[in-house]
Amino acid sequence: MRASRGDKHISGSERLLDVQEMEDAVSQLLRRALDHPRGRAGHISITVQPVPIAQIRNCSLLPLMTHQVKNCQQGLDRARELLIQAGLKAEIVEQSMALLAAGPSPQGGVMRGAMLIDPASGARLEPDQGSGVRVSRMDLSPESRRPVAQFLSSCGLNNQRVIEAWILASKVALYPQIVAELCWSDDPDYVTGYVASSEGGYQRITHLKEAGSDIGGRIFFVKPATEVLTLINYLRHEPVLFRLPVNVEG
Ligand code: WAQ
Ligand code: MG
């Protein structure tokens, strides 16, 4: 589902479902698009495409942890540390975080997809810098929904936003050429974001922006010499269903 008003991105969401689950899912997505903290959508599109079961991979979600920070400054410092631990140069981290905070589309606004950044040069690699790259065709496997909900409830985090971000980050981190991801929401009422990587897991940080700001987005840091079109094809099209990581009790 994608919702917008004029050039402004309002909301989007991706699911990978059995046919019999679609009707409920579509009405939930429609409700989300119509009633969104970024404002009322003018245009809503819901696209449904068939995915052959034989193409679907089954994988584990990244381990999840939360860094409690007191304010946005502490949160950004923590994100910086985690990205440097993931192998990125301080200077590129600084530059990329500033770009995300400023609104990375050419008009200075929010993109509906992610930026791809080469951490050697800081160059942006996504072919369309106005819209970025949207990751799609990922979800929980049907038998994992209950254990994931139970696990997240035990952490006080059982909501669709955390579930969707955790799944997205897990799909992105599966790709061997991804070094790390940085994300915070574009919803003015949601200040938690994360740094994710295959080694470091899904590391939530409780404040990454000031409340009230509607600037947010995602950066995928991509190893130098990555075949960008193959990466984009993976992100957009390759279907993956997720289960809890093995060290988590459902
Ligand atoms: N593919 C690529 N980029 C996306 C996608 C996608 N499927 N969905 C969203 N984005 C980009 C886009 O630029 C949005 O403006 C931006 O990310 C933020 O999207 O554990 O809610 O859906 O507490 O507002 C993270 C923390 C919340 C969750 C992220 O993002 C937690 C969030 P939002
Ligand atoms: Mg949003």
Side-chain angles (χ1 to χ4, degrees):
M1 175 279 290
R2 283 226 304 274
S4 56
R5 189 179 59 253
D7 287 340
K8 187 182 180 190
H9 167 76
I10 300 286
S11 155
S13 179
E14 280 72 25
R15 304 296 310 269
L16 180 59
L17 298 163
D18 284 341
V19 173
Q20 63 270 22
E21 299 173 298
M22 266 169 32
E23 210 174 311
D24 285 350
V26 166
S27 65
Q28 279 165 20
L29 292 174
L30 191 58
R31 188 164 337 109
R32 189 195 301 192
L34 287 172
D35 181 20
H36 200 275
R38 287 177 60 74
R40 168 75 28 125
H43 178 97
I44 301 169
S45 63
I46 295 180
T47 307
V48 179
Q49 291 168 323
V51 175
I53 285 183
Q55 288 178 9
I56 298 176
R57 283 169 69 185
N58 286 280
C59 298
S60 288
L61 290 161
L62 292 171
L64 174 149
M65 64 171 291
T66 301
H67 299 262
Q68 298 285 349
V69 292
K70 291 205 182 72
N71 55 42
C72 172
Q73 200 45 56
Q74 267 190 13
L76 291 169
D77 288 346
R78 184 61 57 87
R80 209 173 277 122
E81 283 164 27
L82 294 175
L83 290 167
I84 290 169
Q85 266 169 31
L88 301 174
K89 287 190 290 194
E91 169 199 341
I92 300 291
V93 169
E94 207 54 59
Q95 183 186 319
S96 308
M97 286 174 60
L99 189 60
L100 195 52
S105 92
Q107 301 79 30
V110 158
M111 298 159 74
R112 62 171 188 249
M115 288 182 264
L116 305 178
I117 289 187
D118 175 344
S121 62
R124 284 172 67 174
L125 304 173
E126 72 279 12
D128 181 342
Q129 296 190 359
S131 55
V133 179
R134 266 199 88 89
V135 189
S136 192
R137 301 194 179 175
M138 66 285 184
D139 214 309
L140 298 176
S141 64
E143 64 281 6
S144 295
R145 292 205 193 121
R146 188 190 294 266
V148 167
Q150 279 167 353
F151 166 71
L152 288 176
S153 292
S154 74
C155 318
L157 293 173
N158 188 24
N159 62 69
Q160 200 55 30
R161 182 195 300 275
V162 173
I163 293 173
E164 286 184 19
W166 192 14
I167 294 169
L168 186 153
S170 299
K171 179 173 174 185
V172 172
L174 267 180
Y175 200 76
Q177 256 64 39
I178 296 282
V179 182
E181 176 186 356
L182 170 67
C183 163
W184 64 81
S185 179
D186 54 10
D187 298 9
D189 57 353
Y190 201 79
V191 297
T192 299
Y194 64 85
V195 170
S197 67
S198 59
E199 304 258 303
Y202 180 69
Q203 304 211 50
R204 308 176 62 248
I205 301 171
T206 54
H207 282 76
L208 278 183
K209 68 169 190 185
E210 303 293 350
S213 158
D214 67 354
I215 304 278
R218 285 179 153 92
I219 302 178
F220 305 156
F221 293 96
V222 175
K223 285 188 184 159
T226 296
E227 180 47 72
V228 173
L229 294 181
T230 314
L231 165 66
I232 292 176
N233 183 58
Y234 164 77
L235 295 171
R236 286 194 176 137
H237 298 304
E238 287 188 31
V240 190
L241 289 176
F242 287 95
R243 58 178 179 273
L244 279 178
V246 279
N247 58 343
V248 169
E249 295 294 316

